[in-house]
Amino acid sequence: MMIFKRWFAPKWQHKDAAVRQQAIAGLNVDAQHKEILHELAFNDGHEAVRRAALEKLNEFSLWWQASKQDNAERLKHYAESQLVQMVLENRISAPLKRQFIEECHRSSILEKLAQTEADADIRFSLIMRLKKTDLILTNLQQELLSLEQKRQLLTLITEPKQLEKLSKQLAEPLASELKQQLQQQQEAKDKPVQVRKVVNLLLAKLNAVRERGDLVQMQQKWLQYQQEWDTVQSDLALLDDAAELTQKYNKIKLLTEAAWAPLVKEQQLQLAQQQKIAALKQQQQEFETKLQALQQQLSQLMSEGRLDETDPLAAEVATLLQQVSQSDLASAVKASLQKALTAFERQLQQLPAQAEQLFKLTRLLADWSVATVPADATQFQHIEAKYQQWQQEWSKGRKTLGAMLPDSLAEAQQQLNAQWQAVMTGFAGQAEKDLKSLRSKLAEFRRLYEAGRYKVLFGLFKGIQQSYAELTPAQQQQLSKDYQAAEQQLQHLNELQNYIATPRKQELVAQMQALAVATDVAAPERAEQVKLARATWQTLGRADEALEADLNQAFNLACEQAFAPCRDYFAAQDEQRKQNALIKQQILADLTALLEQPLDKSFDSQLTRLQKSWRESGPTESGLYKELSAQFKTLVDQLKSRVRGQHEQNLAEKQQLIQKAQQLLTLSVDEAVAGAKKLQQDWKQIGFAGKTDQQLWSEFRVVCDQIFANKTAAKQQQDQQWAEQQQQAETQFAEVATQCAQAATASELHAAHSALKALDLPAKSVLSQQKQQLLAQVQQKLETLEQSAFNASYQQLFAALEQADVTADAIPVRFREDFAKGNESQLTRAQLTTAIELISGKDCVAADKAQVQLQLLSDKHNSGTSLTVDALLKRWLSFGAVKAEEQGLVQRLKAVFA
């Protein structure tokens, strides 16, 4: 019996769901096993078995059916994920994909497809169907969709803030189009407000125009505002009260016209009066123009000597006088014109005298033009009086002729005078300057004499003598008194100097003679005394003429004898200067070599050491020192220039590091810390940056300290957050664990399972391990409940079959499809009961047991498959309701499925 049971009970029919799930792996997806897999995928009572069968079949249509019909939500979601994966991986045909998308109404699936679909048209249709803002924003910034498709997507976004943000993120030309759209929207939004402001302001201006004082200005303003009103009138339709504003404008217009009516009349009268005044003004100008023309004719006639042709001019003057007297000009204007015309008549009568004066002026210019312009002070002194005479005579003649002076003659005088004036002014200025300078020197001489500073007077008077000789006789006459007084004072000083200098020079000679024989005076002091004595000797002036030569000879001899011991000392000093010069030359050589060395850390110290050595190298011969010092300065400047250049480069690099460090503050803490450490290493590689090096280091250190302080603060915050999250996770886990422990029904267990799975617990923590253990426990409970529910469905079936009038609606759903089909022809209901007992391994005492066994073996041999208890039960149910005599069969089945 046991061998028979194993023969007819394959593993995929085993009661244990785990065994059935493992058996699925041994089935093939072919015609032989496909029906079995299909049966397990949609009718097995255990979710894991159905999932394993679906995975074995792995057909898009089956996954689709399971996502819609399976009673386990978890399996539905898994089926959906498989559908989405197959669609995304293009494992189905394009028509099937489109059909799936058209028939799919799950937004979650469509959204996943929209996020990953590579076909631009399909993705675009999905986005337009979903109309989700996040999808639209994401795809606008990607390159898959065409420009026109992106434009259509932009029409779905109406939020101004999102549009403004997109205008900064999108590429051209969408960014420009979006900015223009935003600008147009804003302008359209703001335009009514702006139009209202403009209209109200314009109406206020129009209303205020008539309150101005000047009518012309009011009319100009009104015309300007009228043009502005015509321009803005087309925008009035944007305002609700456009008609009211137009009515207000018309009212202002009527009020303005009424207010201006008397002013316009007065304006017309004023205009007529102004025209009359303008006509009189023009008539006056015509008279004045005619008079000027007569004067010009007279000047031309005089310059050409045609005085006998002046009679017509007198007749024209008489005519003008008559016309002026008969005109409507004002009395004052008439009098002025008549006076000018009368003066012109008198001038005509005085023509002979004016002609003579004109001849004199012409002769004056002729004499002036042939004169030679002075080239030096002597020539200036001779011609100055004549030049002044020419100026006076020209001024007198010009005053006599007045307007009759020919323009050509006046221009010739101006050119001639300009040529002379520059030269004469220069010489006159210099002569006056020399006179003032000499006067100042004489005043300084008097001041120094009164102050007792006689020594400088001798040199000063030499300059006075030279300047006095260069003056003109007239200028010498002005300063003769002061010059003679200074000359007498200097002569008195010469006499006094001879009296004082003789005993002082004799005394100084004695001092030098004593110094010459002294042996206790050091060489430097001896040389200084000789030097001082010679300087004093020069200040004493001349002694008595009889003694001057002897005293000078004695003094020079004594100085030579006194200085003789100093020569050896100064020779040693000269030798030392030579040694110092060699030292300085070696320093210059070292500086030259230093120019070739790289700018390393020892460069500054070497330069400082050489500069110190130069300062300590001692004095050198003056001429040689200047030469060496110039070389030293040039080399040091070159070296310092190199150092400054390096310092500036280091300064720029360190400033750049500071800027980079400041930019690190905007990054994440870890990135900022890593960057700061690298920057610190880079800082160490950069050399000295000059005077600001310490300041730069302080700035750099402040930024780095802030970065590391941020890391410390972030670590503390992270620890605190982790502690809070851990505490929160423990609380949430405890609540969900309680929910799992209290869950008794399948729905409660599913809810607890979802809540437990949704918990976000710290990885690699004790709670995470406990979560996995609790998930396994809940899963075990669910499987137990599902198996219990599966077994209970049999008991519900048999309880319903005990009713004689049972229908399909009264039995469990899973059995309704096979109930009362009437398609069983091989075995009777009793034989099927026996077959079920045999395959399930239950004890069977039926009389037809052997016959049924043979039938089962025959079916297995013919079909190549083993029968299952459920398959036999479906065939058993196909007979429909159980008759009274068949109730015993029901009880036998109850025992099998108990």
Side-chain angles (χ1 to χ4, degrees), residues 13 790 794 814-815 868-875 897:
Q13 292 179 337
F790 188 78
Y794 290 109
R814 60 187 291 246
F815 301 113
T868 64
V869 173
D870 284 340
L872 293 173
L873 180 61
K874 289 179 181 179
R875 293 166 65 181
F897 291 97

Side-chain angles (χ1 to χ4, degrees), residues 67 220 309 329 521 651 678 712 795 831:
S67 69
Q220 292 175 350
E309 298 179 10
L329 295 174
V521 181
L651 173 65
K678 184 180 182 303
T712 303
Q795 303 306 320
Q831 290 174 334

Side-chain angles (χ1 to χ4, degrees), residues 159-169 178 182:
E159 180 63 31
K161 291 184 178 180
Q162 290 181 343
L163 290 173
E164 183 176 0
K165 186 176 180 181
L166 283 174
S167 67
K168 300 176 182 178
Q169 297 175 344
L178 198 52
L182 287 169

Side-chain angles (χ1 to χ4, degrees), residues 6 46 89 124 275 279 289 321 452 642 700 757 780 823:
R6 287 195 299 270
H46 198 279
E89 295 177 357
F124 176 72
Q275 291 175 350
T289 302
L321 278 171
R642 285 189 64 195
F700 180 71
K757 195 172 182 180
Q780 183 64 35
N823 58 353

